[in-house]
Amino acid sequence: QVQLAESGGGSVQPGGSLRLSCKASGGAFNTYTMGWFRQAPGKEREAVAVIAGSGRSTRFYADSVKGRFTMSRENAQNTVTLQMNSLKAEDTAVYYCAAGRRVITSNTRNPSAYDNWGPGTQVTVSS
């Protein structure tokens, strides 16, 4: 089982940028599909971006973040990052890093496909 720890959250004004990082330990990192999810108060957890184990392709971006967020991974460093630009108030949420080995095209956005989760990091976008 891989252990995950997010960092980089914080508060920013609308239009600003943040970069989230997730460090993995304890597993064969390149065998895991990695995802970023977020959960706002009173809402369900939703997928933001997903990247394959090889890192050669980003499997999924939520429509709400396309063109603004970029997910990448560096397998040699056991890390994934989420670069978030042009942030909006509706991006405010707790952001979670997740890892899974059972992720396929049909369940990419389903949190239940991911077996390992970080504790989350708060992102607040407010003026």
Side-chain angles (χ1 to χ4, degrees):
Q1 294 285 337
V2 64
Q3 290 81 47
L4 305 172
E6 305 95 340
S7 61
S11 296
V12 65
Q13 292 185 341
S17 298
L18 283 173
R19 184 179 179 88
L20 305 183
S21 293
C22 174
K23 178 73 172 179
S25 61
F29 181 67
N30 64 350
T31 66
Y32 288 88
T33 295
M34 299 298 296
W36 283 101
F37 288 75
R38 66 186 181 186
Q39 188 165 19
K43 294 188 176 181
E44 293 186 352
R45 191 167 297 190
E46 64 172 354
V48 175
V50 175
I51 195 166
S54 67
R56 287 194 291 269
S57 63
T58 306
R59 184 174 291 177
F60 170 79
Y61 282 111
D63 288 342
S64 59
V65 307
K66 282 181 181 177
R68 301 188 297 122
F69 290 13
T70 302
M71 183 177 185
S72 60
R73 71 186 292 162
E74 179 55 65
N75 285 342
Q77 301 296 326
N78 286 6
T79 59
V80 291
T81 60
L82 185 68
Q83 178 65 43
M84 306 186 293
N85 299 328
S86 302
L87 283 161
K88 305 175 181 179
E90 50 264 43
D91 295 317
T92 296
V94 177
Y95 283 70
Y96 298 90
C97 176
R101 285 174 164 166
R102 300 176 292 113
V103 182
I104 57 177
T105 301
S106 61
N107 67 9
T108 294
R109 293 176 288 175
N110 190 339
S112 65
Y114 298 79
D115 298 313
N116 305 278
W117 293 83
T121 185
Q122 177 70 45
V123 171
T124 302
V125 184
S126 174
S127 56

